Amino acid sequence: MRQVAAATDEWRAAYDSREPKRITAQYAADAALWGTNLKVVATTPSAVAEYFKDAPDRPDARVVFGEQNIRVYGDFALNSGTYTFKGVRDGKPTSSPARYSFAFRRQEGKWLIIDHHSSRQPQ
């Protein structure tokens, strides 16, 4: 479980870095991403990269994890829970609560995301 928690924290650190290559490196080549703002699932490395390409445009954006429910099944793991995207728009702080599911697969000793779903938290 600790390794999956560490992989999740690695994704958070990559997201907070605002470096698209660092973020996309957290995903396996066959990953599927249903991002919070995506209208269709990103199912190729180039589509995942496209989703994160504008990350540098919001250098103040950060993600804070809340509840995490980690389950490990050999070389496969799930982590689902809540996170909040924080930032600044027009000089004002923003906060967007969301829920997530990460599916990880251990490949060559590293836990990579193979499926990521994110959706806004209902009001």
Side-chain angles (χ1 to χ4, degrees), residues 8-118:
T8 302
D9 193 53
E10 208 172 309
W11 181 88
R12 182 212 46 81
Y15 180 88
D16 288 357
S17 77
R18 311 312 295 151
E19 298 171 25
K21 286 185 181 183
R22 184 172 170 195
I23 301 167
T24 58
Q26 306 306 307
Y27 293 82
D30 60 346
L33 166 64
W34 192 271
T36 311
N37 297 313
L38 271 178
K39 293 182 181 181
V40 297
V41 175
T43 58
T44 64
S46 61
V48 172
E50 178 70 18
Y51 183 69
F52 291 112
K53 75 175 171 56
D54 295 331
D57 295 346
R58 300 234 13 244
D60 57 336
R62 299 291 181 266
V63 64
V64 177
F65 278 83
E67 171 189 358
Q68 294 189 49
N69 300 291
I70 299 172
R71 286 91 61 211
V72 179
Y73 307 98
D75 287 339
F76 178 78
L78 299 169
N79 184 354
S80 58
T82 61
Y83 51 17
T84 302
F85 296 98
K86 297 182 178 247
V88 176
R89 280 198 196 255
D90 301 323
K92 297 178 184 175
T94 62
S95 181
S96 300
R99 48 199 172 182
Y100 72 90
S101 295
F102 285 125
F104 291 93
R105 182 176 60 224
R106 186 172 30 214
Q107 294 179 252
E108 299 176 13
K110 181 174 176 156
W111 288 97
L112 293 175
I113 298 166
I114 58 171
D115 197 274
H116 177 187
H117 178 266
S118 181

